[in-house]
Amino acid sequence: MGKEGWCLQGPGRRGSSCRGWGQGVGPTISTMLLGILVVLCFIPTADVTENKILVSQRPLLTVTNKTATLVCNYTYNGTGKEFRASLHKGTDSAVEVCFVSWNTTKTSSNSNKEFNCQGIHDKDKVIFSLWNMSASQTDIYFCKIEVMYPPPYVYNEKSNGTIIHVKETPIQIQPQSDIPLWIMVAVTGVLAFYSMLITAVFINYWQKSKKNMYHQSDYMNMTPRHPPYQKNKGYPSYAPTRDYTAYRSWQP
């Protein structure tokens, strides 16, 4: 075999048959092998692309009212009929917060007892709603999409996740009433004036009563009397016995 082609020689042959690269069966075999290799290369790639699930999430979600809505967008070109989507908490996805499963006929959802969570499937996305969240639940959350049926089982690669930052709600002191300040000041002033007026009337009445009491004491009979228990004991009297004959204007 030379550089420019190949030759067939052997017993029973009268001559030699030499052909170049561009002649005979050589190009036909090469073309067939090349076509087979191309087909074998494209078939696995198409299968992997068809069954692959891609998930995208927003990187940060700030919660100020204890309510969060996390949207998990996904793409899937396979033929799955039964799916399951779940929300996981922590860098190692150790805690499953809640999940939602659906097929062609029904949808069901369930939540971890430590969370208030509900999942809803809507076309090419899954929406997880969380409420009554606390600051201790601040963490990174991951969405997981799974094809449960038919085989083969497929799930998405771990995404970058979403950091849910739950802020403490400040305690707001609400005013006791919506009455304007000037009305409250006016009412307070009237009550204060009324209290002062009542106090002045009471003091005036008390002073008059005290003065009347002093005037009545000037006309009281201050002559000492015998105590009831000393009348028969021979004690000297406190006052001389009155002589009523002195008041008589005539003598018998």
Side-chain angles (χ1 to χ4, degrees):
M1 181 175 178
K3 293 183 180 180
E4 296 179 355
W6 53 277
C7 299
L8 295 176
Q9 297 178 356
R13 295 182 181 273
R14 294 182 180 182
S16 61
S17 176
C18 297
R19 299 178 180 179
W21 287 108
Q23 301 177 356
V25 297
T28 304
I29 296 174
S30 301
T31 303
M32 291 176 62
L33 292 176
L34 181 61
I36 292 172
L37 290 175
V38 170
V39 171
L40 292 177
C41 290
F42 276 99
I43 289 176
T45 304
D47 183 67
V48 172
T49 304
E50 180 183 5
N51 292 322
K52 192 173 184 180
I53 303 175
L54 301 177
V55 175
S56 61
Q57 304 174 223
R58 59 185 301 181
L60 178 63
L61 184 60
T62 303
V63 177
T64 57
N65 57 355
K66 299 183 179 181
T67 302
T69 301
L70 178 59
V71 180
C72 304
N73 298 293
Y74 72 94
T75 57
Y76 174 65
N77 297 323
T79 58
K81 295 182 180 180
E82 184 175 343
F83 300 85
R84 185 179 190 272
S86 53
L87 182 64
H88 298 262
K89 175 179 177 290
T91 55
D92 54 355
S93 301
V95 179
E96 184 179 83
V97 178
C98 65
F99 74 89
V100 56
S101 59
W102 69 93
N103 53 29
T104 57
T105 58
K106 64 179 181 179
T107 302
S108 62
S109 179
N110 195 10
S111 174
N112 189 319
K113 64 180 181 179
E114 297 181 359
F115 292 85
N116 297 302
C117 177
Q118 184 179 10
I120 301 175
H121 171 249
D122 183 14
K123 294 182 179 180
D124 56 352
K125 61 184 176 182
V126 179
I127 304 173
F128 291 101
S129 299
L130 299 98
W131 63 93
N132 290 337
M133 300 188 71
S134 61
S136 61
Q137 294 175 338
T138 297
D139 211 323
I140 187 169
Y141 291 77
F142 297 94
C143 296
K144 184 178 181 181
I145 311 294
E146 305 167 85
V147 178
M148 309 302 295
Y149 181 83
Y153 169 77
V154 182
Y155 65 95
N156 65 290
E157 297 180 357
K158 194 171 184 179
S159 62
N160 294 329
T162 300
I163 298 176
I164 299 180
H165 180 204
V166 184
K167 293 184 177 181
E168 287 286 357
T169 304
I171 300 176
Q172 298 180 356
I173 302 176
Q174 298 181 353
Q176 297 180 354
S177 62
D178 297 332
I179 301 176
L181 181 61
W182 68 270
I183 295 180
M184 296 182 65
V185 172
V187 172
T188 303
V190 171
L191 292 177
F193 176 77
Y194 181 77
S195 299
M196 294 175 61
L197 181 62
I198 295 297
T199 303
V201 171
F202 177 77
I203 293 175
N204 186 30
Y205 176 78
W206 178 75
Q207 290 179 350
K208 288 183 177 181
S209 299
K210 187 176 180 181
K211 186 176 181 180
N212 292 335
M213 184 178 64
Y214 287 149
H215 286 302
Q216 291 177 0
S217 63
D218 293 340
Y219 300 98
M220 290 180 62
N221 189 0
M222 301 302 294
T223 304
R225 302 294 182 183
H226 293 285
Y229 59 90
Q230 294 181 353
K231 290 182 178 179
N232 300 324
K233 291 186 178 181
Y235 291 99
S237 60
Y238 292 93
T241 304
R242 294 182 180 180
D243 186 6
Y244 293 97
T245 58
Y247 297 94
R248 295 178 181 178
S249 60
W250 58 274
Q251 292 293 334

